[in-house]
């Protein structure tokens, strides 16, 4: 029986009561030899929790610095000392202690500094804590907070995905899947600012209006989708193909400025677009005229000026009989 | 609370009935976006409206759907978090029942702007309880009923849980150790 009665009514506690109220206590004799362990502390200490075990063999004292024995600890920091287990995981403990009147016994009560790690390390359950301890609340909060953070991370990712999709959509021509005017302006501004070498092509379909008028808009859309596919096939991923109006397209070929290369690309596209297409069993024919301008042609590389030059070349191509490419010089 | 329940309806329908049914429900509700974000705000009453439409599309009473959602939230292995948070309530099922009054406060610690239902537990006799749940959400009482049923299983308790008048749930614990309780360790198994 423990009795402690410095003031007030005398109080007697048996071992079971002590274990229930303080599952992490250690009772030692005056020399620091263990007399009894709280059940949770015994679990944490594993096999080391035997009667007679010495305090300094069980724990390394972190604060007060330099203290080794329980007497030294209590002399300097009786209300808040820190220990680390010598056996198994190096779990940190905080405690308070006091010599009991009478036989010179010492009572220490300990708690985990990092509750979350300790709970995981030892698989602690509610039964390992006194009902009055806030351990469960802390663990509940840690887990609830982790759940909220997880949700917020998920939300951020989903919003980012939606933002990218929206941006992509804002730059895409829905009918052909090619880029749109907005995207062309952005790409051109970027290339001009970087003073890059590139070729700009302005392409217009010939006889497209006739297809629309004679076979209807569905046939027209069919032709545009086909042309979109051809352009995607003929250009590289780093190039840009865009539909900027009814049957008007802009192609930006990056990193290329040799006239022969650009003419070859343009002629290949013209050849493919000129092949007959089958719509509802009926043959549809269009052709393409292309005006080409090279960034190296312009003294100051400026989007508006490049467009004007490409336009002029396109009109020259149309004027020269359609179905051909003209390079501005 | 609407956001959390909307997300729960969404997950429940997607997991149980598939994407086509969920699209159907959203279309019938005139919802352009089919994903509800648990951390955003939605107009109050939207959760009840979506559940009513889900009831029509799925051909089941809305009460049964809410109750299923409550059970689903606790038992679905992918959403183990809800069961774990509830299990922090106590060592036994009756401990857990008593902890329900503290639950709204605890929930607010994690989500300060959450508007959780008000919960009042009255012990009306030995092993008999009356749980009152006040919430602007019509479905809340049934969600709680489903959750309680699933948690009773989790604790291994044999209970009779039935919705009573208005916002009341009647709970009779027939055998608190009817079956082995599912294991519960305070720390999450995987960090």
């Amino acid at each position: 029986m423990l009795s402690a009665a410095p003031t007030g009514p005398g109080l007697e506690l048996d071992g079971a009561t002590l274990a229930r109220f303080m599952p992490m206590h250690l009772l030692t004799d005056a020399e620091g030899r263990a007399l009894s362990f709280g059940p949770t502390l015994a679990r944490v200490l594993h096999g080391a929790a035997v009667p007679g075990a010495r305090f300094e063999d069980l724990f390394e004292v972190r604060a007060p610095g330099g203290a080794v024995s329980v007497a030294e600890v209590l002399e300097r920091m009786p209300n808040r000392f820190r220990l680390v287990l010598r056996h198994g995981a190096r779990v940190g403990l905080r405690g308070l202690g006091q010599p009991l009147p009478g036989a010179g016994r010492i009572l220490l009560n300990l708690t985990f500094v990092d509750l979350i790690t300790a709970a995981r390390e030892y698989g602690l359950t509610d039964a390992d804590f006194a009902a009055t301890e806030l351990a469960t609340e802390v663990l509940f909060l840690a887990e609830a907070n982790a759940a909220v953070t997880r949700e917020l991370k998920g939300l951020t990712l989903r919003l980012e995905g939606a933002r990218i999709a929206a941006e992509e959509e804002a730059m895409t021509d829905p009918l052909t899947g090619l880029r749109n005017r907005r995207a062309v302006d952005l790409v051109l501004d970027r290339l001009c600012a970087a003073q890059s070498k590139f070729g700009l092509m302005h392409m217009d379909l010939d006889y497209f209006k006739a297809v629309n008028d004679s076979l209807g808009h569905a046939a027209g859309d069919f032709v545009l989708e086909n042309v979109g596919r051809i352009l995607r096939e003929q250009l590289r991923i780093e190039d840009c193909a865009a539909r900027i109006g009814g049957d008007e397209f802009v192609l930006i070929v990056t990193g290329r400025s040799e006239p022969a290369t650009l003419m070859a690309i343009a002629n290949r596209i013209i050849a493919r677009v000129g092949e007959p297409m089958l719509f509802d069993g009926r043959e549809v024919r269009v052709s393409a005229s292309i005006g080409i301008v090279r960034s190296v042609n312009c003294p100051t590389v400026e989007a508006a000026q490049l467009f004007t030059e490409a336009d002029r070349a396109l009109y020259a191509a149309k004027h020269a009989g359609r179905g051909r490419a003209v390079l501005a010089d | 609370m609407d956001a959390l329940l909307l997300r729960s309806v969404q997950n429940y329908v997607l997991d149980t009935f598939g994407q086509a049914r969920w699209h159907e429900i959203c279309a019938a509700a005139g919802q352009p976006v089919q994903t509800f974000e648990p951390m955003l705000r939605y107009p109050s009453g939207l959760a009840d409206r979506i559940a009513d439409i889900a009831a029509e599309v799925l051909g089941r009473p809305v009460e049964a759907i809410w109750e299923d959602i409550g059970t689903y939230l606790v038992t679905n292995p992918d959403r183990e978090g809800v069961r774990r948070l509830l299990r922090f309530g106590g060592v036994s099922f009756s401990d857990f029942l008593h902890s329900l009054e503290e639950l709204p406060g605890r929930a607010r610690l994690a989500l300060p702007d959450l508007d959780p239902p008000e919960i009042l537990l009255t012990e009306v006799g030995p092993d008999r309880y009356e749980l009152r749940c006040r919430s602007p959400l019509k479905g809340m009482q049934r969600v709680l009923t489903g959750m309680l049923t699933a948690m009773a299983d989790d604790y291994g308790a044999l209970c009779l849980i039935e919705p009573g008048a208005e916002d009341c749930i009647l709970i009779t614990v027939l055998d608190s150790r009817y079956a082995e309780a599912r294991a519960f360790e305070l720390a999450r198994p995987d960090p």
Side-chain angles (χ1 to χ4, degrees):
Chain A
M1 294 286 240
L2 282 178
S3 51
T7 56
L11 186 64
E12 300 226 319
L13 297 176
D14 59 15
T17 309
L18 197 60
R20 203 157 75 81
F21 277 78
M22 296 185 197
M24 286 281 285
H25 80 268
L26 171 65
L27 185 68
T28 74
D29 63 16
E31 315 306 318
R33 282 186 292 259
L35 297 169
S36 74
F37 298 88
T40 305
L41 182 63
R43 256 188 84 177
V44 167
L45 286 169
H46 287 294
V50 290
R54 300 183 64 85
F55 172 85
E56 47 268 50
D57 294 335
L58 297 174
F59 307 104
E60 175 191 322
V61 180
R62 303 295 305 159
V68 175
S69 70
V70 68
E72 287 165 339
V73 168
L74 292 191
E75 197 182 312
R76 289 171 50 200
M77 285 178 116
N79 291 323
R80 202 182 179 89
F81 54 82
R82 280 195 301 115
L83 311 172
V84 172
L85 293 180
R86 285 199 191 277
H87 303 276
R90 280 181 64 82
V91 166
L93 299 167
R94 191 171 57 233
L96 84 169
Q98 180 171 312
L100 298 175
R105 288 173 300 177
I106 295 168
L107 179 63
L108 306 177
N109 197 21
L110 305 173
T111 186
F112 297 106
V113 175
D114 178 356
L115 187 61
I116 295 164
T117 306
R120 183 173 303 127
E121 187 69 38
Y122 301 110
L124 300 176
T125 70
D126 329 55
D128 291 311
F129 296 97
T132 45
E133 285 180 75
L134 290 173
T136 332
E137 270 67 21
V138 171
L139 292 168
F140 172 89
L141 252 190
E143 207 157 314
N145 272 328
V148 171
T149 310
R150 236 184 348 265
E151 277 304 337
L152 285 176
K153 267 192 197 151
L155 172 62
T156 309
L157 280 178
R158 289 189 289 272
L159 287 179
E160 178 64 5
R163 190 186 66 77
I164 290 170
E167 211 156 73
E168 185 70 26
E169 205 174 309
M171 306 256 248
T172 305
D173 167 45
L175 178 63
T176 59
L178 297 176
R179 294 304 195 186
N180 59 16
R181 180 63 194 242
R182 212 170 93 88
V184 166
D185 288 343
L186 283 174
V187 171
L188 267 186
D189 283 346
R190 183 163 50 77
L191 291 173
C192 290
Q195 300 279 306
S196 308
K197 280 196 297 185
F198 60 91
L200 176 74
M201 304 188 187
H202 192 179
M203 176 175 117
D204 200 283
L205 296 184
D206 310 313
Y207 320 114
F208 178 74
K209 194 174 175 306
V211 172
N212 248 347
D213 289 349
S214 61
L215 298 172
H217 282 289
D221 286 353
F222 168 78
V223 168
L224 292 172
E225 282 174 65
N226 248 331
V227 171
R229 195 161 27 247
I230 291 167
L231 293 179
R232 267 199 301 277
E233 282 165 12
Q234 295 299 322
L235 292 179
R236 300 160 306 166
I237 194 94
E238 59 266 39
D239 299 330
C240 169
R243 183 165 82 109
I244 59 166
D247 61 346
E248 252 185 287
F249 298 82
V250 166
L251 317 173
I252 300 169
V253 185
T254 58
R256 294 270 195 276
S257 60
E258 316 80 46
T261 312
L262 293 172
M263 279 305 278
I265 295 170
N267 284 329
R268 227 166 41 222
I269 292 169
I270 290 167
R272 287 288 313 278
V273 172
E275 286 168 12
M277 307 173 186
L278 267 184
F279 175 74
D280 259 358
R282 296 182 63 175
E283 198 180 273
V284 183
R285 270 179 183 276
V286 291
S287 70
S289 300
I290 299 181
I292 311 173
V293 63
R294 300 180 299 145
S295 59
V296 290
N297 276 129
C298 297
T300 55
V301 185
E302 217 173 82
Q305 197 196 345
L306 283 168
F307 261 121
T308 313
E309 292 291 323
D311 243 13
R312 196 170 298 155
L314 172 62
Y315 275 101
K318 289 251 180 204
H319 197 70
R322 299 190 167 120
R324 68 193 63 207
V326 168
L327 183 80
D329 38 30
Chain B
M1 261 339 263
D2 268 87
L4 284 181
L5 284 191
L6 282 165
R7 177 59 158 221
S8 304
V9 176
Q10 175 192 328
N11 286 339
Y12 164 75
V13 172
L14 282 174
D15 282 2
T16 318
F17 302 96
Q19 201 146 35
R21 288 337 266 294
W22 179 241
H23 288 337
E24 219 177 305
I25 291 164
C26 289
Q31 267 311 113
V33 177
Q34 313 204 329
T35 306
F36 290 104
E37 287 295 346
M39 293 290 147
L40 297 183
R41 269 191 175 279
Y42 293 93
S44 70
L46 184 60
D48 278 312
R49 200 169 82 78
I50 297 284
D52 284 338
I53 291 166
E56 244 167 70
V57 171
L58 300 172
R60 308 185 56 204
V62 70
E63 291 81 9
I65 288 178
W66 278 128
E67 238 177 274
D68 277 2
I69 289 172
T71 308
Y72 164 87
L73 282 174
V74 173
T75 54
N76 188 297
D78 295 344
R79 325 219 177 274
E80 162 84 353
V82 177
R83 171 190 99 89
R84 284 193 51 83
L85 288 177
L86 290 173
R87 275 294 290 261
F88 276 104
V91 191
S92 67
F93 186 62
S94 64
D95 270 2
F96 162 75
L97 287 177
H98 284 288
S99 80
L100 286 174
E101 284 193 5
E102 300 167 21
L103 193 62
R106 280 192 175 188
R108 260 194 301 262
L109 280 177
L111 283 172
D113 61 352
L114 189 73
D115 185 21
E118 195 185 323
I119 295 176
L120 277 171
L121 185 84
T122 318
E123 232 171 314
V124 288
D127 293 321
R128 287 183 52 231
Y129 303 87
E130 235 181 59
L131 192 78
R132 291 191 175 278
C133 152
R134 290 207 190 99
S135 165
L137 284 145
K138 283 188 290 166
M140 191 53 88
Q141 177 214 25
R142 294 294 181 145
V143 172
L144 206 58
T145 306
M147 285 178 127
L148 289 175
T149 310
M151 285 307 287
D153 271 0
D154 212 84
Y155 277 102
L158 182 66
C159 298
L160 212 64
I161 299 169
E162 46 197 351
E166 288 172 49
D167 49 10
C168 187
I169 302 169
L170 303 168
I171 304 155
T172 313
V173 181
L174 303 170
D175 184 351
S176 62
R177 290 175 176 208
Y178 177 72
E180 183 84 9
R182 273 185 68 193
F184 176 67
E185 289 191 350
L186 290 178
R188 277 181 78 84
D190 51 309

